[in-house]
C-alpha cells in the first residue's frame, strides 16, 4: 500500500476469486479522503490482476457511525466501483444491515451492493456474482 497511515486500518487479500478487505478499529474520519480512494483502487487492481472480482468488505469491527461513513464512501465511489465486479459489506448487527440495505435500495447503481450479517451468506453472494459474470464473459 502506498499510504502508510492506512496500512494498519485496511487489510486486503484474495481467496477463491474474492477480494477480502477487513477494516480495523483504527479507522477514523481522516481516512475518508482521496488517499483512501487511491489505496483501494491500487490494491484492488494489483490483487485482481486486471480482472473483475467481487469485493467483500468487513466493517463489523467498526462503530455504528464509522460503519455508516465507510459504507457511504465506498458505495458511492465510482473510481472504486470501476475496478470491482460487486461490493458486499459484512456488518455486525441486524439493525445496521437493515439501515444500510435501505440506503442502498434508495440509490440506483451500476455495480450491485449488498449488506450481510452472516459471512457465509456474504461469501456465497460474491461467489454467485463471480460465476454469473464469468458465465456471461
Amino acid at each position: 500500500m502506498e499510504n502508510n497511515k492506512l496500512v494498519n486500518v485496511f487489510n486486503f487479500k484474495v481467496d477463491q476469486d474474492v477480494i477480502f478487505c477487513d477494516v480495523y478499529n483504527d479507522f477514523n474520519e481522516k481516512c475518508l479522503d482521496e488517499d483512501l480512494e487511491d489505496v483501494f483502487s491500487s490494491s484492488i487492481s494489483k490483487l485482481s490482476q486486471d480482472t473483475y472480482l467481487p469485493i467483500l468488505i468487513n466493517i463489523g469491527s467498526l462503530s455504528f457511525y464509522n460503519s455508516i461513513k465507510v459504507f457511504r464512501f465506498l458505495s458511492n465511489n465510482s473510481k472504486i466501483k470501476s475496478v470491482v465486479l460487486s461490493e458486499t459489506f459484512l456488518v455486525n448487527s441486524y439493525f445496521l444491515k437493515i439501515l444500510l440495505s435501505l440506503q442502498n435500495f434508495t440509490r440506483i447503481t451500476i455495480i450491485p451492493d449488498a449488506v450481510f450479517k452472516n459471512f457465509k451468506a456474504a461469501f456465497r453472494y460474491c461467489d454467485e456474482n463471480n460465476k454469473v459474470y464469468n458465465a456471461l464473459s
Side-chain angles (χ1 to χ4, degrees):
M1 294 187 165
E2 290 90 62
N3 195 329
N4 288 334
K5 72 180 180 179
L6 297 175
V7 170
N8 295 328
V9 179
F10 298 96
N11 181 31
F12 293 91
K13 67 180 179 181
V14 174
D15 189 20
Q16 299 179 29
D17 290 332
V18 175
I19 299 171
F20 293 90
C21 175
D22 290 315
V23 184
Y24 295 112
N25 243 349
D26 299 344
F27 175 83
N28 62 44
E29 285 187 59
K30 294 177 185 172
C31 294
L32 292 178
D33 57 16
E34 294 172 11
D35 290 341
L36 180 60
E37 183 179 272
D38 292 337
V39 166
F40 260 79
S41 298
S42 174
S43 297
I44 290 168
S45 294
K46 288 176 189 173
L47 289 171
S48 65
Q49 300 174 1
D50 296 327
T51 61
Y52 289 101
L53 297 176
I55 186 167
L56 176 57
I57 304 164
N58 182 356
I59 55 177
S61 67
L62 299 179
S63 71
F64 180 81
Y65 295 107
N66 278 342
S67 294
I68 292 171
K69 290 174 187 172
V70 169
F71 176 83
R72 283 184 179 164
F73 179 81
L74 295 176
S75 66
N76 290 327
N77 194 298
S78 59
K79 186 173 182 179
I80 294 170
K81 285 190 174 286
S82 70
V83 293
V84 297
L85 181 59
S86 65
E87 286 181 328
T88 305
F89 294 87
L90 188 61
V91 297
N92 59 5
S93 74
Y94 286 109
F95 181 70
L96 187 57
K97 177 190 181 313
I98 291 168
L99 182 68
L100 297 180
S101 295
L102 284 173
Q103 181 179 346
N104 189 35
F105 182 72
T106 61
R107 292 179 300 110
I108 298 172
T109 61
I110 296 172
I111 302 295
D113 290 333
V115 182
F116 292 90
K117 183 172 181 327
N118 179 288
F119 174 79
K120 286 184 180 182
F123 181 77
R124 192 175 323 115
Y125 177 81
C126 290
D127 190 45
E128 288 173 8
N129 273 344
N130 204 14
K131 287 178 183 174
V132 168
Y133 175 77
N134 286 322
L136 296 175
S137 296

